[in-house]
Amino acid sequence: MKIIITSNSGHDVLAISGEVDMDTSPELRTHLLEFIHKRTPLLLIDFREVSYIDSSGIATFVEGLKGMMVYGGKLKFVAIPEKIGEIFSFAKLDRVFEIYGSIEDALHR
Amino acid sequence: MTGDIVSVTVPSHPRYLCVIRDITARMADICGMDQATVDQVKLAVDEACSNVIKHAYKGDTTKTFSVIFRIREKEFEVVIDDSGPKADLSCLRGRDLDDIRPGGLGVHFIKRVFDSFAFDKRKRTGNRLRLIKRLDRGNEDHHNQ
């Protein structure tokens, strides 16, 4: 897993590539907690290059979402590949997370 | 192909889960499963192995565990052996999918694709988790060409 943090229209974008699993999710968690600590108002997660996610990766995002909700922050998912989306859907998390097709969609809705 | 066995023993470090995933996907493919099912089987076995590291070994990365894949006439079997204390089944029950909180999903991912999910009570020390998926053998021709 690789994580690249960029900015788009003044908003933080965390782009993940590769596999998010029990081995790599602690690194993801560290990044999310830093954004929560800074009270980032909107964080976009770009899933375009994510090839795999397991329950520990999902748990990390649930924890991140809950952490951001405490101060009114928003966590938006962008460009989720079909097979990753299927996992979120099975876990009924597609109705918990805000999911958008592109960064532009996420910024303008 | 029927009766073939592949086994692997890996250290109980999460970095080796990708090795198990790759082998699992290859074995499921050899069984003739479609790609969506291969992905589900891969996730399920990964979750079961993650549980070994998390629950049986409590995060101790110095142990090992074994995964044995068996292809039978009408089923695909995965047996996961560890040497940890007997599993606390309450850890493996999974949460209600409507109860949105971190954790508790792994068991759901296992049960949705495997037809049988059970610990072998005959194993005296450690745990032996046996996962069985029935096979529709209509799709295996391309592997035999």
Side-chain angles (χ1 to χ4, degrees), chain B residues 3-4 11 22 56 58 73 75 77-78 89-90 93-94 131-132:
Chain B
D4 285 353
D22 286 351
K58 310 267 187 262
E73 179 66 25
E75 64 185 31
E77 180 188 61
V78 182
L89 292 179
S90 65
R93 214 161 274 151
L131 308 173
I132 295 173

Side-chain angles (χ1 to χ4, degrees), chain B residues 81-94:
Chain B
D81 263 323
D82 67 61
S83 57
K86 288 292 177 192
D88 175 3
L89 292 179
S90 65
C91 293
L92 302 174
R93 214 161 274 151

Side-chain angles (χ1 to χ4, degrees), chain A residues 39-108:
Chain A
R39 295 190 162 239
T40 300
L42 170 61
L43 176 61
L44 305 172
I45 309 289
D46 188 345
F47 276 81
R48 204 173 313 270
E49 299 297 328
V50 174
S51 56
Y52 179 80
I53 191 165
D54 72 354
S55 67
S56 65
I58 291 173
T60 302
F61 282 118
V62 171
E63 183 187 4
L65 176 68
K66 292 201 165 185
M68 293 189 77
M69 287 169 70
V70 168
Y71 63 89
K74 287 210 162 205
L75 182 65
K76 294 186 177 182
F77 289 175
V78 171
I80 296 184
E82 190 178 340
K83 69 177 182 181
I84 305 295
E86 188 275 331
I87 294 170
F88 278 108
S89 173
F90 172 77
K92 299 187 177 181
L93 291 170
D94 52 342
R95 53 193 193 191
V96 174
F97 291 108
E98 291 188 46
I99 297 173
Y100 300 89
S102 67
I103 289 176
E104 289 69 33
D105 282 351
L107 289 177
H108 295 108

Side-chain angles (χ1 to χ4, degrees), chain A residues 19 21-23 51-56 58-60 62-63 66 83 86-87 90-93 95-96, chain B residues 13-15 17-18 21 39-40 42-43 46-47 50 53 97-98 100-103 105-106 108-109 112:
Chain A
E19 300 183 318
D21 67 358
M22 189 184 178
D23 186 39
S51 56
Y52 179 80
I53 191 165
D54 72 354
S55 67
S56 65
I58 291 173
T60 302
V62 171
E63 183 187 4
K66 292 201 165 185
K83 69 177 182 181
E86 188 275 331
I87 294 170
F90 172 77
K92 299 187 177 181
L93 291 170
R95 53 193 193 191
V96 174
Chain B
H13 193 292
R15 72 167 67 103
L17 290 171
C18 63
R21 289 200 295 272
D39 289 340
Q40 290 185 15
K42 180 171 78 170
L43 176 59
D46 184 38
E47 295 291 347
S50 296
I53 298 172
L97 286 175
D98 290 311
I100 305 302
R101 59 177 169 79
L105 284 175
H108 292 290
F109 290 137
R112 79 163 165 168

